[in-house]
Amino acid sequence: MNTFKLFLAGASALALSTAANATDLEVTHWWTSGGEAAAVAEFAKAFDATGNKWIDGAIAGSGGTARPIMISRITGGDPMGATQFNHGRQAEELVEAGLMLDLTDIAEKEGWKDVIRPSSLLDSCTLDGRIYCVPVNIHSQQWLWLSNAAFEKAGVPVPSNWDEYAAAAPQLEAAGIIPLAVGQQPWQTTLAFQVLLVALAGPEAYTKIFGEKDAELAAGPELAKVFQAADKARSMSAGSNVQDWNQATNLVITGKAAGQIMGDWAQGEFQVAGQVAGTDYTCLPGLGVNEVIQTGGDAFYFPKLDDAAQTEAQGVLASVMLSPETQVAFNLKKGSLPVRGDVDLAAANDCMKKGLDILAKGNIIQAPDQLMSPDSLQQINDLFVQFFNDTSITAEGAQKTFVDLVASAD
């Protein structure tokens, strides 16, 4: 038998083996926008190629909407095969309760510690030395997305930093353009504040406040400047009457709004709309002030199941999600950066290259979910929802409440 026939025989045997053990696996997530759907389809395609079948369990809304549903199913005895969470502490209690599959053997066999960068991503999946999740991307919220057409219409040069952008607001409004698009989902206003904090007060101040719970720093003059900028952002977004983040992104894509403070997942929406980075839109990491990459993002956990074939399929999916080929295909569609440091991203666009360059320099910070508990973050979310929607709350008043929340945070 020649080499080619041996190859065919081996491939046929593998296919038969895979088919014999193949099973359906429900995967829950909150990726429902155009760009997100295109990205998650890459995961489904790669998993289906193993002979198993991805059963899509998309939950409309945001993570804040989806997570309680996911957690309720897992704790209520109706677990899915895999589920999305953000990097950090969101699934900590589920792991401690013994409800999540231990992936340590797979991780050691495939050398995850050698390829996942930065190492803090895998650390966020680790509890008591055991690995319970697969980080799949690096998402940073530290971006300002600008419509080149909107600034051209207003007769204003595309800004290169936050101060230039804020100064252009009156001319943008005079041209009938919303200066800043912000949706009504609660996390969007907190995100805008956090990005302003990192850009204007600096990464160290952010880490001390969210990580070390430094209430004294939170009460100081540097943070007062951040709250004044948040007040400016509030006035710039007054005409932005949309709900979801991708609806706000669409205002920028269509030139109805000049810009949006949003994570790099917004880039997927620009791609679906056929827009080109550097030509149709401009991206400013760190608002053009402090260029850093936040090492947040998405990870998948695998609830324990009673079915042996499904448990085997869970391991296959974990491996597939982290394979070099899938990492490239998924992250190019998602707008995020891959968690592997050994993949070829020659096809990366202008904005992704900026992100990769910042990552290579080591200018990174951890995501809020990695620094503060979900309950504490929810209280801060609530504060900024109130602040952005109630103009009677002053910057000084909001800062005072924020200080109290930081002091009591865990």
Side-chain angles (χ1 to χ4, degrees):
M1 186 178 289
N2 64 31
T3 303
F4 181 65
K5 289 181 178 179
L6 281 170
F7 171 78
L8 287 179
S12 298
L14 177 61
L16 287 171
S17 173
T18 304
N21 299 316
T23 187
D24 294 352
L25 204 65
E26 182 192 7
V27 184
T28 55
H29 59 87
W30 56 81
W31 288 327
T32 56
S33 75
E36 291 172 329
V40 77
E42 295 294 338
F43 276 154
K45 182 171 67 175
F47 183 60
D48 289 352
T50 68
N52 295 287
K53 184 168 179 57
W54 173 291
I55 304 299
D56 199 71
I59 299 173
S62 65
T65 301
R67 277 190 297 274
I69 297 171
M70 295 165 174
I71 291 169
S72 177
R73 284 190 53 185
I74 295 167
T75 57
D78 181 29
M80 62 295 291
T83 189
Q84 174 191 8
F85 284 101
N86 295 122
H87 301 320
R89 299 171 58 183
Q90 291 175 354
E92 192 172 78
E93 293 182 0
L94 297 173
V95 172
E96 290 173 339
L99 297 173
M100 292 299 188
L101 193 66
D102 186 337
L103 304 174
T104 307
D105 289 346
I106 297 172
E108 291 179 348
K109 180 182 177 182
E110 299 184 354
W112 290 4
K113 287 185 178 180
D114 297 326
V115 297
I116 293 177
R117 295 290 182 273
S119 59
S120 61
L121 298 179
L122 197 57
D123 291 343
S124 294
C125 288
T126 304
L127 187 67
D128 297 330
R130 309 298 293 179
I131 296 170
Y132 292 94
C133 71
V134 182
V136 296
N137 60 10
I138 301 170
H139 261 320
S140 178
Q141 61 188 37
Q142 313 296 320
W143 296 84
L144 175 60
W145 305 90
L146 301 171
S147 165
N148 291 359
F151 284 95
E152 183 178 353
K153 179 181 177 182
V156 182
V158 176
S160 61
N161 57 51
W162 168 259
D163 287 340
E164 292 177 3
Y165 175 49
Q171 288 170 271
L172 291 165
E173 291 172 339
I177 297 167
I178 302 165
L180 177 64
V182 178
Q184 294 298 309
Q185 290 166 308
W187 58 270
Q188 293 186 56
T189 48
T190 306
L191 181 150
F193 169 76
Q194 291 166 351
V195 174
L196 285 164
L197 194 164
V198 174
L200 304 181
E204 185 178 345
Y206 160 81
T207 301
K208 284 185 176 181
I209 290 170
F210 278 86
E212 300 174 22
K213 321 302 186 289
D214 190 332
E216 184 177 349
L217 178 59
E222 288 302 309
L223 263 291
K225 295 177 183 176
V226 175
F227 275 89
Q228 289 163 9
D231 186 31
K232 177 66 174 177
R234 174 171 63 176
S235 66
M236 290 170 66
S237 65
S240 181
N241 298 316
V242 294
Q243 177 68 21
D244 296 340
W245 69 267
N246 52 305
Q247 293 174 321
T249 305
N250 189 61
L251 291 176
V252 181
I253 290 171
T254 56
K256 295 176 182 176
Q260 179 188 25
I261 298 173
M262 186 50 59
D264 49 13
W265 50 88
Q267 190 171 190
E269 304 305 301
F270 285 98
Q271 290 187 42
V272 168
Q275 296 208 341
V276 178
T279 301
D280 300 305
Y281 65 97
T282 296
C283 53
L284 297 180
L287 306 186
V289 182
N290 265 305
E291 294 190 351
V292 297
I293 287 293
Q294 180 177 290
T295 55
D298 303 292
F300 277 83
Y301 288 77
F302 300 81
K304 288 182 178 178
L305 303 173
D306 294 330
D307 187 292
Q310 287 190 316
T311 300
E312 182 179 344
Q314 287 176 312
V316 171
L317 178 56
S319 181
V320 163
M321 284 178 159
L322 206 54
S323 72
E325 299 80 9
T326 311
Q327 276 285 296
V328 171
F330 170 78
N331 284 291
L332 284 176
K333 293 282 180 66
K334 191 70 166 66
S336 47
L337 302 178
V339 299
R340 294 187 67 118
D342 61 347
V343 297
D344 179 13
L345 279 171
N349 68 16
D350 180 64
C351 295
M352 185 179 283
K353 286 176 180 175
K354 287 181 181 179
L356 289 168
D357 182 58
I358 295 167
L359 190 63
K361 292 175 181 175
N363 296 341
I364 59 175
I365 56 174
Q366 288 184 290
D369 296 312
Q370 295 169 290
L371 299 172
M372 193 175 279
S373 72
D375 287 343
S376 296
L377 286 175
Q378 182 58 54
Q379 293 175 45
I380 292 173
N381 277 351
D382 293 343
L383 166 63
F384 285 100
V385 169
Q386 293 171 358
F387 177 69
F388 267 75
N389 288 301
D390 184 354
T391 55
S392 70
I393 301 174
T394 64
E396 294 77 16
Q399 184 177 7
K400 184 178 183 301
T401 303
F402 180 69
V403 171
D404 293 339
L405 294 176
V406 170
S408 62
D410 58 6

